[in-house]
Amino acid sequence: VAAAAPILDDLRLQCATPLPLLRHVAGAMAAGMRTGLAADGAGELKMIPSYVYSLPTGSETGLFYALDLGGTNFRVLRVQLGGKDKRVVDTESEQVSIPKEIMHGTTEELFDFIASRLSKFVAMEGGNFQLQEGRKREIGFTFSFPVKQTSIDSGILIKWTKGFAVSGTAGKDVVACLNAAMERQGLDMSVSALVNDTVGALAGAHYWDEDVMVAVILGTGTNACYIERTESIPKLQHLGLGTGNTIINTEWGAFSDGLPLTEFDKDMDAESINPGEQIFEKTISGMYLGEIVRRVLARMAQESDLFGHSFADKLAEPFVLRTPHLCAMQQDNSEDLGEVESILHDIIGVNQSSVAARRVIVEVSDCIVKRGGRLAGAGIAGILQKMENDSKGLILGRRTVVAMDGGLYENYPQYRSYMVEAMAELLGPRDMEHIVVEHTKDGSGIGAALLAAANSKYAAAQLLA
Ligand code: ADP
Ligand code: MG
């Protein structure tokens, strides 16, 4: 164990996120936002316009569907909207895991798989759910990968991320892909809104609380979006939108300016399917935290007797150690760290570990998770600072809500505290008093359906009714 100590000390140094470093990250995030708003492709942050010009108001009525594709699972959902007073009458949803061969297959295979599951879900419609006569079903499509949106209901995939490697989709309109697959299934439904999951989460949270200005996803991957004034978006001025608000999808996963990275991060990046890309995402999101820790442990096992002298083969396997394992280990408050031991045994095949060795492993996890959480907090502070600088008092001078979603944020209490702690350090106690960081349960699913409703092909008829 003693031989592992220098590796841990080194790791702590390299992963440290003192306030000056966080300040730099927040400032760089704000600056990157401005660069991305000025022109397409001008910086690391794409700052993608959502084409959402009217957020759901609450008066929407009728049956709407949502489909959420963004990670290892996809979800389908239906919601019956009852207008101003009744709001959400009922919802139903279902989750389907995506087989690995589909994630590595062709575009048609992926969309046929989705449309067939969706079709089965639609067939179970009943009870409180009722389609208005003469209408076609409408669906909001949450698609949380980088898309070049061309209107509220079309968008071209720039590239897959988060372990997806479906061939032939980049450069294609994903709405057209889904509409075509639904048609092949004989499903009478059309896409009314294409939304990023972050945009959906923001719309969903804003439906219940008008002070929600920012939404952040921390799950398998990560992203953030916020409400921007159209006058502040130079690259949209040619559209002559006048004054008003829209949602900007930052695609902040691509950020990298000033991040404290280790050799473990660099090796993981080099061996990933998208080397050199999504560096912020690879440092702070759920898909990667466990893997970074695994790499540190593998090095420790090689260079010390941390796990005795028999090196565990399983430890050499990329992604065996996952973020939920780190989380479980960090919740272990027992004297002998029994939970840590059983994870070491079951997951990475360590037959025997001393309590001291288990402590080292928890320390390594904490180091990586602390860095991730604090950097996420710095990113959020950067967004808030950019908004505040433009509006002087409309963000930090009043109640402002940051809506959070995603499995990492939801399930990892230490990560959450590190994140909020960093925000408080950066914003200071006075401004932090006005900031509410709030989990939006299922914001994204409902949000997409709400945006489908707000952008319904029958919306004009609805207004007249
Ligand atoms: P997605 O991001 O794929 O849409 P989720 O928002 O549900 O899906 O996030 C799933 C991710 O959340 C997992 O990949 C994992 O990294 C993280 N996660 C899930 N459960 C836990 C947990 N108990 N502790 C820590 N992280 C978790
Ligand atoms: Mg998600």
Side-chain angles (χ1 to χ4, degrees):
V1 173
I7 303 177
L8 178 57
D9 289 343
D10 232 32
L11 186 75
R12 278 210 192 94
L13 270 179
Q14 288 178 43
C15 291
T17 48
L19 190 52
L21 185 142
L22 293 184
R23 276 214 184 92
H24 172 86
V25 168
M29 184 67 75
M33 289 169 70
R34 289 185 200 284
T35 308
L37 290 172
D40 276 341
E44 282 184 340
L45 300 184
K46 291 207 173 66
M47 304 301 284
I48 302 171
S50 62
Y51 290 85
V52 170
Y53 297 116
S54 48
L55 286 159
T57 61
S59 60
E60 296 78 10
T61 59
L63 171 64
F64 295 91
Y65 277 81
L67 166 68
D68 181 349
L69 177 66
T72 37
N73 297 310
F74 78 88
R75 297 184 61 221
V76 287
L77 169 148
R78 62 180 144 248
V79 56
Q80 187 76 34
L81 298 174
K84 265 280 177 262
D85 299 324
K86 290 195 206 140
R87 294 275 172 142
V88 172
V89 176
D90 202 358
T91 62
E92 259 173 6
S93 68
E94 217 172 84
Q95 184 158 309
V96 182
S97 78
I98 304 174
K100 204 163 182 119
E101 62 271 21
I102 297 279
M103 286 173 72
H104 293 248
T106 67
T107 303
E108 281 208 348
E109 283 163 359
L110 173 67
F111 283 95
D112 281 341
F113 178 76
I114 292 167
S116 79
R117 294 311 174 95
L118 181 59
S119 181
K120 287 200 185 102
F121 180 66
V122 170
M124 308 287 286
E125 191 182 288
N128 284 330
F129 301 94
Q130 198 162 29
L131 185 68
Q132 254 166 286
E133 222 170 292
R135 287 193 180 190
K136 190 175 171 145
R137 285 180 188 78
E138 293 181 280
I139 187 163
F141 183 15
T142 304
F143 186 75
S144 16
F145 300 94
V147 158
K148 165 88 182 145
Q149 198 133 2
T150 41
S151 71
I152 186 69
D153 60 0
S154 62
I156 287 157
L157 177 70
I158 298 166
K159 58 165 189 269
W160 290 110
T161 54
K162 296 181 275 187
F164 270 68
V166 176
S167 64
T169 326
K172 283 204 181 118
D173 177 2
V174 292
V175 171
C177 292
L178 179 59
N179 277 331
M182 291 193 298
E183 214 171 298
R184 285 196 292 274
Q185 289 292 326
L187 181 57
D188 189 31
M189 182 183 273
S190 70
V191 178
S192 294
L194 173 66
V195 298
N196 185 273
D197 58 347
T198 332
V199 173
L202 181 47
H206 191 87
Y207 181 77
W208 299 107
D209 183 346
E210 292 194 344
D211 291 340
V212 175
M213 300 298 280
V214 181
V216 176
I217 308 274
L218 287 162
T220 305
T222 183
N223 195 7
C225 71
Y226 70 107
I227 297 183
E228 182 61 282
R229 300 170 320 154
T230 49
E231 310 101 274
S232 301
I233 312 172
K235 68 181 179 187
L236 289 189
Q237 289 317 299
H238 65 282
L239 295 177
L241 296 166
T243 59
N245 291 328
T246 188
I247 301 177
I248 295 288
N249 163 17
T250 65
E251 286 297 332
W252 82 357
F255 178 83
S256 74
D257 195 342
L259 300 179
L261 302 177
T262 66
E263 59 191 305
F264 306 106
D265 299 292
K266 287 169 192 163
D267 291 349
M268 179 181 73
D269 174 49
E271 290 165 33
S272 70
I273 58 162
N274 52 351
E277 292 170 8
Q278 299 294 107
I279 303 299
F280 196 46
E281 180 163 271
K282 285 171 181 162
T283 316
I284 73 167
S285 80
M287 176 167 169
Y288 303 100
L289 298 178
E291 170 63 5
I292 301 167
V293 170
R294 182 199 66 82
R295 283 172 179 271
V296 179
L297 299 187
R299 168 67 54 84
M300 286 178 161
Q302 255 168 24
E303 296 187 5
S304 73
D305 58 354
L306 188 66
F307 301 131
H309 291 290
S310 60
F311 180 77
D313 285 348
K314 275 196 195 166
L315 187 54
E317 196 181 306
F319 294 95
V320 277
L321 187 66
R322 299 185 313 111
T323 304
H325 300 134
L326 306 187
C327 182
M329 291 196 288
Q330 276 202 276
Q331 311 318 312
D332 185 352
N333 291 319
S334 67
E335 244 347 89
D336 67 342
L337 299 175
E339 179 63 22
V340 176
E341 128 124 290
S342 67
I343 286 174
L344 290 178
H345 181 272
D346 299 350
I347 306 304
I348 51 182
V350 172
N351 289 328
Q352 265 190 331
S353 57
S354 66
V355 174
R358 292 172 212 160
R359 284 227 171 80
V360 170
I361 287 147
V362 174
E363 288 286 315
V364 170
S365 302
D366 187 59
C367 194
I368 298 302
V369 166
K370 182 175 187 175
R371 179 186 66 168
R374 285 174 65 82
L375 289 172
I380 298 171
I383 294 178
L384 293 171
Q385 277 163 3
K386 191 273 175 202
M387 296 170 82
E388 172 66 14
N389 283 340
D390 284 9
S391 69
K392 296 274 180 277
L394 286 181
I395 296 297
L396 299 178
R398 45 159 294 178
R399 179 175 184 268
T400 293
V401 180
V402 180
M404 305 294 307
D405 202 4
L408 175 60
Y409 180 82
E410 223 172 297
N411 296 301
Y412 212 139
Q414 283 85 356
Y415 187 99
R416 274 199 308 266
S417 326
Y418 287 136
M419 190 193 90
V420 172
E421 186 182 272
M423 287 176 66
E425 283 176 32
L426 282 163
L427 297 171
R430 258 190 50 216
D431 289 340
M432 195 60 190
E433 220 168 86
H434 294 119
I435 304 297
V436 181
V437 179
E438 212 168 61
H439 178 224
T440 66
K441 189 68 194 144
D442 194 29
S444 60
I446 296 254
L450 290 169
L451 285 167
N455 293 281
S456 166
K457 313 235 150 55
Y458 309 100
Q462 211 162 29
L463 282 177
L464 290 174

